[in-house]
Amino acid sequence: MIAIGLSSAAFYGENNTEDQVRSLLNYPVEVCEVFLQTFGEYTPAFGLQLRRELGDVRCLAVHPKSTQLEGELFGKSPRQREEAIEMFAGACLAGKMLGARYYVFHGPFSVDKNITPERIFRLEENMQVLYDIAGREGIELLWENVSWAALSTPKSVEEIRRRLPRQRYVLDVKQAFRAGVDPIDMIDAMGDRLAHVHALDWDEKGNLCLPGEGVLDWQALMRHLADVGYDGAVILEPYGWMSGDHQRMMRSLEYLRRCAEKANA
């Protein structure tokens, strides 16, 4: 059964991360994802603090602010790479103390969207370092499709699957849309390596909105997830400007829950 959860990224930038985690408790979810906002939060002590704040809500994934470190994990400068690895290790430790299974990873990115897996410096070698660090903390690194990063299309997923057979993935539905890709095609490309899903919708003009307020057929998407054997979570991940209306957020979570139930019926 697909579980429906909420990301603390819904409140990104509005206040401190611990306050955002408390805000998650205002919604009827059993699972969540925690978005870390600052360098100082990449510590086991902060992860433990957040875990206590969550109470009975289970954190499935930790999501650092990727632009703070993930491009530098593949830098040619040894010092740049070493300091980024130190931050990555801290984020994994925070995730461990949060009880998270997964680290959500964007990887190298480009403002002009011209980065591809083929252009990543020492991809296999550098990824093995990250696998080893995360694995020591019981964390699995999941690579998310992002329109402005290296993993953005089914073709790039196929390339990463060829070069990194152990790699598993996060489907970000809105990022597929922003890359001009059908989310169903991304599901098919990720296949049995899909482990986590981020949910957001868009309207007929292409403006992002909450699931249930846009044009995407969520029941069909959930059914396709079920058909490929997906049994992970679908995490509502709205931008902060969408989360101000509590009732709309509640309706969207309930809508996703109904779609998941129908898909599994």
Side-chain angles (χ1 to χ4, degrees):
M1 177 66 184
I2 295 172
I4 304 301
L6 180 61
S7 172
S8 68
F11 316 105
Y12 173 76
E14 296 295 319
N15 45 30
N16 288 330
T17 302
E18 58 270 31
D19 300 312
Q20 295 167 11
V21 164
R22 292 185 201 110
S23 294
L24 291 174
L25 305 181
N26 294 323
Y27 297 90
V29 294
E30 296 179 359
V31 296
C32 73
E33 179 174 309
V34 171
F35 191 98
L36 301 176
Q37 301 183 103
T38 72
F39 300 121
E41 295 174 353
Y42 302 160
T43 68
F46 190 70
L48 181 58
Q49 177 186 342
L50 296 183
R51 185 173 188 173
R52 289 170 175 162
E53 295 283 1
L54 283 171
D56 294 332
V57 177
R58 185 161 51 98
C59 177
L60 293 180
V62 62
H63 191 331
K65 187 174 181 180
S66 63
T67 51
Q68 292 174 334
L69 70 146
E70 289 178 5
E72 287 75 9
L73 291 168
F74 301 86
K76 293 182 180 180
S77 159
R79 185 180 302 117
Q80 186 183 56
R81 197 163 59 251
E82 287 164 9
E83 293 188 7
I85 286 171
E86 184 178 349
M87 285 185 277
F88 173 82
C92 289
L93 278 167
K96 175 184 179 179
M97 299 310 294
L98 262 164
R101 298 179 192 171
Y102 306 131
Y103 174 115
V104 177
F105 178 77
H106 288 179
F109 61 92
S110 170
V111 292
D112 56 8
K113 302 182 182 181
N114 67 354
I115 185 73
T116 62
E118 294 86 349
R119 296 181 63 190
I120 299 175
F121 180 66
R122 294 179 181 171
L123 173 65
E124 290 87 349
E125 177 185 334
N126 287 320
M127 287 299 292
Q128 187 59 55
V129 171
L130 304 184
Y131 293 148
D132 291 345
I133 292 169
R136 285 196 292 269
E137 309 307 336
I139 299 285
E140 182 180 4
L141 185 155
L142 302 182
W143 203 327
E144 180 175 29
N145 64 292
V146 179
S147 63
W148 40 267
L151 191 83
S152 60
T153 64
K155 181 181 178 181
S156 57
V157 174
E158 290 163 8
E159 175 67 10
I160 294 297
R161 290 194 67 165
R162 183 182 67 81
R163 295 176 63 182
L164 300 170
R166 67 178 288 180
Q167 184 63 57
R168 296 209 297 164
Y169 302 93
V170 181
L171 168 67
D172 189 305
V173 175
K174 72 176 180 301
Q175 290 292 346
F177 166 71
R178 285 184 154 179
V181 173
D182 188 329
I184 297 293
D185 292 337
M186 290 300 284
I187 293 171
D188 290 340
M190 293 172 176
D192 62 0
R193 309 306 291 165
L194 177 59
H196 198 61
V197 175
H198 285 161
L200 205 58
D201 210 333
W202 53 91
D203 64 20
E204 64 280 355
K205 295 181 179 179
N207 299 311
L208 295 180
C209 59
L210 294 172
E213 298 180 356
V215 298
L216 185 62
D217 185 342
W218 282 94
Q219 191 170 330
L221 186 138
M222 296 280 196
R223 190 180 305 114
H224 197 71
L225 286 171
D227 288 346
V228 300
Y230 182 75
D231 61 356
V234 171
I235 303 292
L236 177 60
E237 190 193 42
Y239 291 110
W241 53 268
M242 300 178 180
S243 62
D245 188 323
H246 180 77
Q247 290 305 314
R248 286 178 63 204
M249 290 276 287
M250 291 284 283
R251 286 195 298 270
S252 188
L253 286 165
E254 179 56 30
Y255 172 78
L256 289 172
R257 195 170 286 114
R258 289 197 310 271
C259 290
E261 289 171 353
K262 291 177 182 177
N264 284 279

